[in-house]
Amino acid sequence: MQHQRKKPSMKSTSYSEVSRREFLAATGVAGVALGLGLARVAQSAPGAKIPIALELYSLREQCKTDLPGMLSAVSKLGYKGVEFAGYHGRSAKELRTMLDDHGLLACGTHTPYGSVLSDQLKQTVEFNHIIGNKFLIVPSMTANSKQEWLDKAKLFNEIADKVKADGMWVGYHAHEHDFHKFDGETAWEIFGSNTKPEVILQLDTSNCRDGGGDPVAMLKKYPGRTRSIHIKANGGGPEAVIGEDKLDWMQIFAICESTGGTEWYVLEHETSKDPLDAVKRSFAAFKKLGKV
């Protein structure tokens, strides 16, 4: 059963703790650019593999009570980064300190739709600069017609233009309902075909399949758009990890590593009775599949 996640609350985080001027003065623009570009530099090395991150929704209950401890555990397992799905009342400076303490990068944030609109976008960009993240991913949207999806595509094109100068990207994360059709075309395709290359299409392999879509076909249809992808098992039961399910992982990985433009594999496992063990077994599965 697909569980629709709750959107992160922006009220729990102080976005105005440091002004943009103070932050840039403290760190320097070059330092910000360096922090945001570490993964790309590493990936560009000959023979380098796409780094693996964890979507922290996988450990949502544990992070509520012990975020530092979970970041430490994730780092020790071998993950290189994390994607936030809520900040658990922590400030941007606190999050950045925790990430640095454990040698992790912020590979993305699942940030609410409202946070990328005009009245909040500046604060959102500032917050993500501080934590060292460049991928602003909206986790879920709904629309009731093809025209509404076209309107959202136009909006995201405008947002992409606004954040480009800050070295950031806006994107959208796939859920099951995004593969329902309007006038014979899925919402994902309406949105994807009418947004510019600078808008990330963060496919979720399991959500796509649950919605009746084909993750391989979607990856092939939008080359260069999958800068970040949710790697999630599908069809093997609630405890299955990648390689124990029914998805064609070798083909998915081959597309990501050739035409996908993928910079991060973001592992998500949200159905285990022992979430941390599932995260551990998932990383072992990456190793078994030759991705570490």
Side-chain angles (χ1 to χ4, degrees):
M1 180 177 179
Q2 173 61 37
H3 298 282
Q4 188 80 2
R5 75 183 51 170
K6 295 181 180 179
K7 296 180 180 180
S9 171
M10 306 298 281
K11 293 180 180 179
S12 66
T13 306
S14 172
Y15 284 87
S16 58
E17 60 180 324
V18 183
S19 72
R20 182 173 175 78
R21 179 178 296 178
E22 289 171 335
F23 171 66
L24 293 178
T27 63
V29 174
V32 177
L34 178 62
L36 295 176
L38 285 174
R40 176 173 291 181
V41 171
Q43 188 180 333
S44 66
K49 295 180 178 179
I50 294 174
I52 299 168
L54 179 71
E55 164 55 66
L56 288 176
Y57 187 74
S58 306
L59 302 172
R60 53 198 175 278
E61 296 303 323
Q62 292 78 7
C63 286
K64 287 179 183 178
T65 57
D66 186 13
L67 180 58
M70 289 302 100
L71 292 177
S72 175
V74 168
S75 176
K76 289 176 181 177
L77 287 174
Y79 290 89
K80 301 301 182 184
V82 293
E83 181 178 70
F84 288 97
Y87 308 117
H88 308 287
R90 309 289 182 146
S91 70
K93 290 176 68 177
E94 289 173 325
L95 293 175
R96 181 58 183 264
T97 297
M98 281 187 271
L99 290 172
D100 290 346
D101 285 348
H102 299 296
L104 292 167
L105 297 175
C107 75
T109 56
H110 271 198
T111 188
Y113 176 72
S115 73
V116 298
L117 300 182
S118 296
D119 59 336
Q120 295 186 43
L121 184 59
K122 182 179 179 181
Q123 290 179 328
T124 300
V125 167
E126 177 182 296
F127 184 93
N128 282 274
H129 261 307
I130 294 171
I131 68 172
N133 173 53
K134 65 178 180 178
F135 289 166
L136 312 175
I137 309 296
V138 173
S140 183
M141 298 188 294
T142 57
N144 297 313
S145 67
K146 180 175 183 177
Q147 185 57 53
E148 288 185 18
W149 279 109
L150 289 171
D151 292 341
K152 290 185 184 299
K154 180 181 178 182
L155 173 64
F156 271 63
N157 286 336
E158 294 169 354
I159 297 170
D161 288 340
K162 291 177 181 178
V163 300
K164 187 174 183 179
D166 293 294
M168 293 195 176
W169 303 69
V170 69
Y172 180 51
H173 173 76
H175 271 287
E176 181 178 342
H177 67 266
D178 296 311
F179 298 93
H180 298 170
K181 293 184 177 181
F182 295 89
D183 300 332
E185 190 175 15
T186 67
W188 186 255
E189 291 169 289
I190 296 169
F191 182 83
S193 297
N194 290 280
T195 43
K196 56 180 59 179
E198 290 79 11
V199 176
I200 296 170
L201 297 178
Q202 190 188 58
L203 191 72
D204 181 304
T205 53
S206 182
N207 289 351
C208 177
R209 176 58 63 84
D210 284 343
D214 179 353
V216 170
M218 290 299 99
L219 289 170
K220 288 181 176 179
K221 185 166 185 174
Y222 298 106
R225 302 291 299 278
T226 314
R227 294 182 177 273
S228 173
I229 180 173
H230 271 211
I231 301 295
K232 189 193 300 181
N234 182 278
E239 295 296 336
V241 298
I242 59 172
E244 299 174 349
D245 61 330
K246 297 182 179 180
L247 294 180
D248 187 345
W249 289 108
M250 288 300 96
Q251 195 167 4
I252 289 170
F253 289 138
I255 298 169
C256 289
E257 292 163 16
S258 57
T259 60
T262 306
E263 297 182 28
W264 283 98
Y265 287 143
V266 184
L267 186 282
E268 183 174 33
H269 198 299
E270 57 184 60
T271 56
S272 177
K273 293 181 179 179
D274 187 344
L276 189 56
D277 178 66
V279 167
K280 179 180 179 179
R281 289 186 291 112
S282 294
F283 195 81
F286 272 110
K287 287 185 177 180
K288 186 176 180 180
L289 293 169
K291 298 303 160 185
V292 179

